[in-house]
Amino acid sequence: MGRVTVKRPVLRIVDGETRRRPDTLAAEEPLEIRVDGRSLAVTMRTPGHDVELAHGFLLTEGVIGDREDISTARYCDSLDDQGRNTYNVLDVALAPGVAPPDDSVERRFYTTSSCGVCGKASLDAVRTKTRFAPGDDPVTLTPLVLATLPDTLRAAQAVFDSTGGLHGAGLFRADGTLLVAREDVGRHNAVDKVLGHALLNGDVPATGTVLMVSGRASFELTQKAVMAGVPVLAAVSAPSSLAVEMARESGMTLVGFLRGSSMNVYAGTHRIVTEDAPLVGG
């Protein structure tokens, strides 16, 4: 398995003084995801939890909806110049009767760690229909609980402490209990790993949960949460306008700028309970 971190030499300059030393960097390597031997996507990711990543990716693309929809996942056809497996190609075999990805899902192009899988032909193609409607989830939570989530997620990011270069995502219960946290150079990969973990544990739809992300709430991350039936998405930074639109359409609660005791609730305010009463409005 590829390493999560690598050492590289660096020239350190502080107050005009220079010193050479090794620096710890977050590893970034390509992962090709194949379905039944057919290439579906290539993403730049931090090695590790690749099976979770593939399950989460296929879940959030609408290819699968249950862990039983995949029969096997194995590394293959990825050798270095010395004949060693690089573990950078993962082939997923769908269970009998599970339909392969259709043309609206198939992406035969490179995807970056920063933006994820982009460039679908139309917005309608991106708005994948979810099997799990988060709008029906009755869960509620308090601002006090929400305020604890960023620090809890940050404390779970062990690799970030040594590199400073990884995004984090965590799935929480409504009482603030952390269920799983994952790190990756790609924010979308971190979310796919978290949701893939939930799927493999039989926890999809992810009812009664909060998905916390360390960066901004993009449309793609919001769609991923919707596809897994997550009722609440929270981010330390801003959401995009399209993310807010999707959250409102799907009945999801979307929280941005979650920093300390302050936050903005952009959608689904009925789930946020303050002073023994839920908020009103969208």
Side-chain angles (χ1 to χ4, degrees), residues 1-4 29 45-51 75 85-88:
M1 177 61 66
R3 291 173 294 180
V4 176
E29 297 182 13
R45 98 303 190 191
T46 299
H49 305 291
D50 291 333
V51 173
Y75 292 102
N85 198 333
T86 65
Y87 299 98
N88 285 338

Side-chain angles (χ1 to χ4, degrees), residues 8-269:
R8 292 291 184 267
V10 63
L11 177 65
R12 175 75 169 165
I13 304 175
V14 179
D15 296 330
E17 295 185 0
T18 63
R19 182 164 61 96
R20 295 187 181 276
R21 68 174 193 183
D23 193 32
T24 303
L25 305 177
E28 182 175 25
E29 297 182 13
L31 176 68
E32 179 184 353
I33 299 175
R34 298 179 182 175
V35 175
D36 293 328
R38 186 177 182 180
S39 182
L40 184 68
V42 177
T43 185
M44 300 303 296
R45 98 303 190 191
T46 299
H49 305 291
D50 291 333
V51 173
E52 292 180 353
L53 193 162
H55 277 72
F57 177 79
L58 294 175
L59 168 70
T60 59
E61 290 301 314
V63 178
I64 63 173
D66 187 273
R67 59 185 174 182
E68 302 302 326
D69 290 343
I70 291 180
S71 58
T72 61
R74 65 183 184 89
Y75 292 102
C76 64
D77 296 340
S78 181
L79 304 179
D80 63 15
D81 55 6
Q82 298 182 21
R84 296 173 299 192
N85 198 333
T86 65
Y87 299 98
N88 285 338
V89 178
L90 188 70
D91 191 11
V92 174
L94 298 177
V98 177
D102 60 30
D103 291 340
S104 68
V105 173
E106 187 171 351
R107 287 107 179 249
R108 295 182 178 276
F109 50 82
Y110 172 84
T111 69
T112 69
S113 57
S114 59
C115 73
V117 180
C118 306
K120 275 193 171 180
S122 68
L123 184 59
D124 288 340
V126 172
R127 294 180 186 274
T128 311
K129 298 298 183 182
T130 179
R131 307 182 192 189
F132 314 112
D136 297 335
D137 196 313
V139 67
T140 60
L141 63 163
T142 67
L144 288 176
V145 169
L146 281 166
T148 68
L149 303 189
D151 286 345
T152 303
L153 176 59
R154 177 67 181 79
Q157 291 185 250
V159 182
F160 181 89
D161 287 336
S162 59
T163 66
L166 291 177
H167 294 282
L171 195 65
F172 293 81
R173 292 195 181 101
D175 64 1
T177 302
L178 177 63
L179 299 174
V180 59
R182 293 288 181 261
E183 298 176 276
D184 200 279
V185 289
R187 58 176 60 89
H188 56 97
N189 290 333
V191 169
D192 279 342
K193 289 177 179 181
V194 164
L195 299 181
H197 176 91
L199 182 73
L200 288 165
N201 278 0
D203 294 329
V204 170
T207 55
T209 63
V210 182
L211 178 63
M212 179 75 216
V213 295
S214 62
R216 60 187 177 87
S218 65
F219 171 81
E220 184 183 21
L221 297 192
T222 306
Q223 177 190 260
K224 288 180 180 295
V226 169
M227 292 298 293
V230 175
V232 183
L233 173 62
V236 298
S237 191
S240 69
S241 62
L242 206 54
V244 174
E245 182 180 335
M246 166 153 281
R248 288 178 176 270
E249 287 179 358
S250 64
M252 171 185 286
T253 296
L254 178 59
V255 180
F257 291 108
L258 178 52
R259 301 169 184 175
S261 60
S262 66
M263 63 199 74
N264 292 345
V265 184
Y266 293 88
T269 58

